[in-house]
Amino acid sequence: MSPLAIFLLFLIHSSLAANTNIYNVQNYGAKSDGKTDSSKAFLSAWAAACASNTPATINVPSGKYLIHNAYFNGQTCKSKAITIHIDGTLLAPSDYNVIGNDENWIKFEKVNGVSIYGGTFDGQGAALWDCKNSNKNCPDGTTALAFYNSNNIIMSGVTVQNSQKFQILVDGCHNVKLQGMKVLAQGNSPNTDGIHVKLSSGVSIMKSQIGTGDDCISIGPGTSNLWIEGIACGPGHGISIGSLGWKQQELGVQNVTVKTVTFSGTTNGVRVKTWARPSSGFVRNILFQHIVMVNVKNPILIDQNYCPNHESCPHQGSGVKISDVTYQDIHGTSATKVAVKLNCSKSNPCSGITLEDVNLSYNDHPTKASCVNVSGRVSGLEKPANCL
């Protein structure tokens, strides 16, 4: 490279650096000893970055930072581009009673243009899981990392693990990109959904590893234009649309693509679940494509009589209308003989259900399909006469 080119690159770099304010959480009192509560220091660094008139960067050096809880509000931010670079680990209190009744541990609300790169968010939830699994009187638990009513969010190379409850929540957001994520919890951890998306549009979840005690990804009401690709799911309950239809007036789910996913030893693969009760909700324009199942109990499942633990079930027909769902190029092994279960609503039968190139085996034999109240077409799948 010529001296002139080097000089020009130096000028460009210097100009960018001059236009970006950098805030190190340690300069605001954060301690990397894993014992000192650094919540106020992180919030002070956020306030400084938020007040910047130019793009701002918050740096979190290596080490462990105890955070009791932190609420990052962007409503009054001047900066429209805040980058958080994390080289260390953020720790929730090990005593679950400290935050176990809070809704969130780390919360972002009404932020715009926030990007988070690297680092680990550790909810230290194992003690609460043990409490719940022992049927003791325990707090409900808190979601580790939540985004509410926010736009233009990026998370890349971030690990979120051991949350007391949901790991990541995206609620009321638009244009969110999660990529290169690791979302991890033990297989017996209750209600630890990996990523839950609701009331949001333009969300993509790419090239990520998710293993939890509940759904790897769960999709709630009011979700549209969701793209999920390149996911390794397991342990967990698979990728689920729903549960939907608990409320009579409820927004639907539409335009969802789930492709190039491997499910390993999960309870379900791709699932749609709705309560059997009146609802204005719907599920439509869904594509499940290029999916590998490895010893999955219910590889393909529509359950419109969802009723966990047989509690609060009204035993009515589901009002959620499911239409235009395509399952394409789904291969691998099922842990049960019936690999395709489409149990649709009697009052609102599923329509436009398409299965193409579905090849699932059980103990080296073709699997069966069970279908109720379904219309559509199928190819390449051994099935009983009542299926499609």
Side-chain angles (χ1 to χ4, degrees), residues 68-335:
H68 276 197
N69 52 47
Y71 170 32
F72 301 101
N73 190 315
Q75 189 170 13
T76 60
C77 282
K78 294 180 181 178
S79 178
K80 301 302 181 184
I82 298 177
T83 299
I84 304 174
H85 278 289
I86 304 175
D87 292 317
T89 297
L90 279 59
L91 293 174
S94 56
D95 179 358
Y96 56 75
N97 288 304
V98 175
I99 59 172
N101 289 311
D102 295 341
E103 188 174 5
N104 309 112
W105 171 41
I106 306 291
K107 175 181 178 181
F108 290 86
E109 186 169 20
K110 296 182 179 178
V111 301
N112 184 38
V114 168
S115 302
I116 303 175
Y117 295 98
T120 298
F121 295 77
D122 190 338
Q124 299 206 97
L128 181 58
W129 307 338
D130 291 341
C131 180
K132 288 184 174 182
N133 289 330
S134 300
N135 295 315
K136 297 179 181 178
N137 186 18
C138 318
D140 187 46
T142 185
T143 294
L145 179 59
F147 293 87
Y148 293 95
N149 302 316
S150 298
N151 301 321
N152 306 318
I153 306 300
I154 295 174
M155 290 184 67
S156 180
V158 177
T159 297
V160 181
Q161 62 188 27
N162 304 324
S163 178
Q164 293 181 3
K165 201 174 177 182
F166 286 13
Q167 311 277 330
I168 299 173
L169 170 65
V170 178
D171 184 347
C173 298
H174 305 284
N175 191 21
V176 177
K177 180 181 290 186
L178 309 180
Q179 59 187 16
M181 305 288 293
K182 290 185 178 180
V183 185
L184 309 171
Q186 295 177 9
N188 66 343
S189 56
N191 303 118
T192 54
D193 290 45
I195 302 172
H196 182 66
V197 182
K198 62 182 292 190
L199 299 171
S200 298
S201 65
V203 177
S204 65
I205 305 170
M206 310 277 290
K207 298 180 181 178
S208 296
Q209 174 189 349
I210 307 175
T212 74
D214 211 299
D215 295 332
C216 289
I217 300 173
S218 54
I219 303 162
T223 300
S224 63
N225 301 320
L226 171 63
W227 190 279
I228 298 169
E229 182 176 3
I231 307 298
C233 171
H237 296 178
I239 294 178
S240 295
I241 297 175
S243 59
L244 304 176
W246 177 255
K247 296 180 179 179
Q248 186 162 358
Q249 296 298 320
E250 186 177 272
L251 297 174
V253 173
Q254 60 186 335
N255 303 332
V256 175
T257 296
V258 178
K259 65 183 298 184
T260 319
V261 176
T262 298
F263 297 93
S264 300
T266 52
T267 306
N268 308 293
V270 291
R271 173 170 60 159
V272 181
K273 52 179 178 176
T274 75
W275 293 87
R277 57 193 302 151
S279 175
S280 62
F282 59 83
V283 177
R284 62 189 180 215
N285 297 328
I286 312 297
L287 173 63
F288 299 110
Q289 185 183 58
H290 307 323
I291 291 172
V292 176
M293 306 285 180
V294 182
N295 197 35
V296 175
K297 290 183 180 179
N298 300 295
I300 297 174
L301 177 63
I302 294 178
D303 180 7
Q304 293 211 262
N305 293 287
Y306 176 66
C307 181
N309 303 319
H310 303 286
E311 298 174 357
S312 304
C313 303
H315 301 292
Q316 305 175 56
S318 176
V320 178
K321 179 62 176 174
I322 298 176
S323 62
D324 299 322
V325 181
T326 298
Y327 303 89
Q328 189 177 71
D329 184 24
I330 300 179
H331 297 78
T333 57
S334 172

